[in-house]
Amino acid sequence: MSDTVSTLGAPKSKFEFSRLLGLTLVGVLLAMFLFLSWKTSTFATPGNMSNLARQGAIFAILALGQTFVIITAGIDLSVGAVASFITVVVAMLIQSVAPDIAAWLAAVGLPEAAANVLALWTVILASLLLGMGIGAFHAFGVVKMGLPPFIITLATFTALRGVGLLMTNGSTINVTNDVFTGFSRGEFLGIPNLFMVVVVVAVPAFVYLHLSRWGRYLYAVGSNAEAARLSGVNVNAVTATAYILSSLCAAIVGVMLASRTGTGNATQAIGFELEAIAASVIGGTSLFGAVGSVWGPLLGAFILATIRNGANLMNVNSFWQFIITGVLIIVIVYADGLRRRRR
């Protein structure tokens, strides 16, 4: 069975295409860095590099989660709404629940500082589990109810925005926990913490997608779900895992956003789903399924972040940013179409 799935899911030609595209994207990113360093005096400064890393980190994780779903030939339009909703949830939990947890932990003998940190991690993990639950709901809609991914995730996109607005009465929740908000401004060995989160997420994602049999199954489902089923793959479980991972990544982004902005707001990440799809596609993920990688969407996200950062520093009309992004998407999708026709 594993041999059959390997041939279905990730043939050598796809790997070579992905690797070639990855090298091309690295070259594009380096060229942009050299050009912007030459054209502006502020681009290559430590402060701007740190800001760029933080900006790119948000979209990189969101794009990575989206990639799991797109590889199965699906789509997740809810990731921006999920991230926004999680900012509300984690902000409310930090303000109202975390102090009670910390007080209980201190009462049973834990040092106050440790109790506060453990309480903070408890509400963060609860928020991430809620995000996974939303992904499980998407999976149920797709694999059990037979709903198109576009429909079920669009419905969640709309509903979560409404639920978040009801929970906050349309207002913003301010987070006053200095440990939580300070994380987004902190660094580890000179590297911004938010960028380190990308590394923490990308390493297991790489192992899952490129080194495990479940990753091969993911490609197999995207290539031909019926053939994968006949080869013994549990198509429903593989598809469900993709949607759960996508929502988990969106929940991680929600926590990161709440930390960076110090607020919980039901609309602050609305529209990020389009950025995630764009970054994933620019990174070589095929909207037809069965083609994608971990490094591609990460590079795509930082290319988009660099375009925006550089355009702002050069005082270029922000509308050009959308035009450049659109052109990149057309070029990449067209190249993918040529590759598919030559197979």
Side-chain angles (χ1 to χ4, degrees), residues 79-97 123-124 126-128 130 134 159-175 180 250-259 261-270:
V79 292
V82 172
S84 297
F85 179 66
I86 293 300
T87 68
V88 171
V89 171
V90 74
M92 294 182 71
L93 290 178
I94 288 174
Q95 295 300 90
S96 60
V97 177
V123 300
I124 290 174
S127 301
L128 298 182
L130 177 59
I134 295 171
L160 283 181
R161 180 167 54 176
V163 172
L165 290 170
L166 283 174
M167 290 172 62
T168 62
N169 198 27
S171 61
T172 296
I173 301 175
N174 294 317
V175 181
F180 180 72
I252 293 172
V253 168
V255 174
M256 293 167 66
L257 271 175
S259 174
T261 63
T263 62
N265 187 293
T267 60
Q268 67 175 306
I270 297 299

Side-chain angles (χ1 to χ4, degrees), residues 88-167:
V88 171
V89 171
V90 74
M92 294 182 71
L93 290 178
I94 288 174
Q95 295 300 90
S96 60
V97 177
D100 294 336
I101 297 176
W104 179 80
L105 291 172
V108 298
L110 202 66
E112 182 179 355
N116 289 331
V117 172
L118 185 56
L120 183 60
W121 273 107
T122 299
V123 300
I124 290 174
L125 290 175
S127 301
L128 298 182
L129 286 174
L130 177 59
M132 295 177 68
I134 295 171
F137 172 74
H138 292 156
F140 179 82
V142 172
V143 304
K144 294 298 184 182
M145 299 175 66
L147 296 174
F150 178 91
I151 297 300
I152 184 66
T153 58
L154 179 62
T156 305
F157 167 88
T158 305
L160 283 181
R161 180 167 54 176
V163 172
L165 290 170
L166 283 174
M167 290 172 62

Side-chain angles (χ1 to χ4, degrees), residues 205-278:
F206 180 86
V207 173
Y208 173 81
L209 191 58
H210 297 291
L211 301 180
S212 75
R213 64 174 182 173
W214 287 97
R216 294 196 300 272
Y217 293 168
L218 205 67
Y219 288 105
V221 170
S223 177
N224 190 321
E226 184 58 28
R229 183 179 290 106
L230 294 175
S231 299
V233 175
N234 188 334
V235 174
N236 287 349
V238 172
T239 303
T241 300
Y243 285 93
I244 292 173
L245 289 175
S246 178
S247 289
L248 172 60
C249 287
I252 293 172
V253 168
V255 174
M256 293 167 66
L257 271 175
S259 174
R260 191 177 187 206
T261 63
T263 62
N265 187 293
T267 60
Q268 67 175 306
I270 297 299
F272 281 20
E273 59 281 343
L274 301 180
E275 299 283 347
I277 294 171

Side-chain angles (χ1 to χ4, degrees), residues 12-342:
K12 186 177 179 181
S13 61
K14 292 181 182 178
F15 177 77
E16 293 296 335
F17 171 79
S18 177
R19 184 167 62 179
L20 177 61
L21 179 62
L23 291 173
T24 302
L25 293 174
V26 170
V28 169
L29 193 58
L30 288 175
M32 292 171 63
F33 268 61
L34 291 174
F35 174 77
L36 291 171
S37 298
W38 170 61
K39 289 292 290 184
T40 70
S41 60
T42 54
F43 178 77
T45 59
N48 187 62
M49 288 293 99
S50 180
N51 183 52
L52 179 60
R54 292 183 173 92
Q55 290 175 344
I58 298 292
F59 295 114
I61 295 177
L62 213 57
L64 182 56
Q66 185 73 241
T67 298
F68 290 118
V69 174
I70 296 179
I71 287 176
T72 67
I75 198 75
D76 188 349
L77 298 179
S78 71
V79 292
V82 172
S84 297
F85 179 66
I86 293 300
T87 68
V88 171
V89 171
V90 74
M92 294 182 71
L93 290 178
I94 288 174
Q95 295 300 90
S96 60
V97 177
D100 294 336
I101 297 176
W104 179 80
L105 291 172
V108 298
L110 202 66
E112 182 179 355
N116 289 331
V117 172
L118 185 56
L120 183 60
W121 273 107
T122 299
V123 300
I124 290 174
L125 290 175
S127 301
L128 298 182
L129 286 174
L130 177 59
M132 295 177 68
I134 295 171
F137 172 74
H138 292 156
F140 179 82
V142 172
V143 304
K144 294 298 184 182
M145 299 175 66
L147 296 174
F150 178 91
I151 297 300
I152 184 66
T153 58
L154 179 62
T156 305
F157 167 88
T158 305
L160 283 181
R161 180 167 54 176
V163 172
L165 290 170
L166 283 174
M167 290 172 62
T168 62
N169 198 27
S171 61
T172 296
I173 301 175
N174 294 317
V175 181
T176 57
N177 189 302
D178 292 336
V179 175
F180 180 72
T181 56
F183 175 81
S184 63
R185 298 188 293 270
E187 296 182 346
F188 177 75
L189 299 178
I191 301 174
N193 288 338
L194 293 186
F195 185 83
M196 293 303 299
V197 176
V198 177
V199 177
V200 171
V201 172
V203 170
F206 180 86
V207 173
Y208 173 81
L209 191 58
H210 297 291
L211 301 180
S212 75
R213 64 174 182 173
W214 287 97
R216 294 196 300 272
Y217 293 168
L218 205 67
Y219 288 105
V221 170
S223 177
N224 190 321
E226 184 58 28
R229 183 179 290 106
L230 294 175
S231 299
V233 175
N234 188 334
V235 174
N236 287 349
V238 172
T239 303
T241 300
Y243 285 93
I244 292 173
L245 289 175
S246 178
S247 289
L248 172 60
C249 287
I252 293 172
V253 168
V255 174
M256 293 167 66
L257 271 175
S259 174
R260 191 177 187 206
T261 63
T263 62
N265 187 293
T267 60
Q268 67 175 306
I270 297 299
F272 281 20
E273 59 281 343
L274 301 180
E275 299 283 347
I277 294 171
S280 184
V281 170
I282 289 172
T285 309
S286 174
L287 292 173
F288 300 101
V291 177
S293 65
V294 168
W295 53 81
L298 301 185
L299 288 170
F302 281 100
I303 285 175
L304 291 181
T306 303
I307 290 173
R308 284 160 174 70
N309 183 270
N312 291 333
L313 293 178
M314 295 173 64
N315 294 318
V316 175
N317 191 314
S318 61
F319 299 152
W320 280 104
Q321 301 174 23
F322 302 109
I323 295 173
I324 295 171
T325 301
V327 170
L328 282 174
I329 293 173
I330 291 172
V331 170
I332 296 297
V333 173
Y334 179 70
D336 180 52
L338 289 178
R339 180 193 62 81
R340 289 172 60 84
R341 286 196 291 269
R342 290 172 181 173

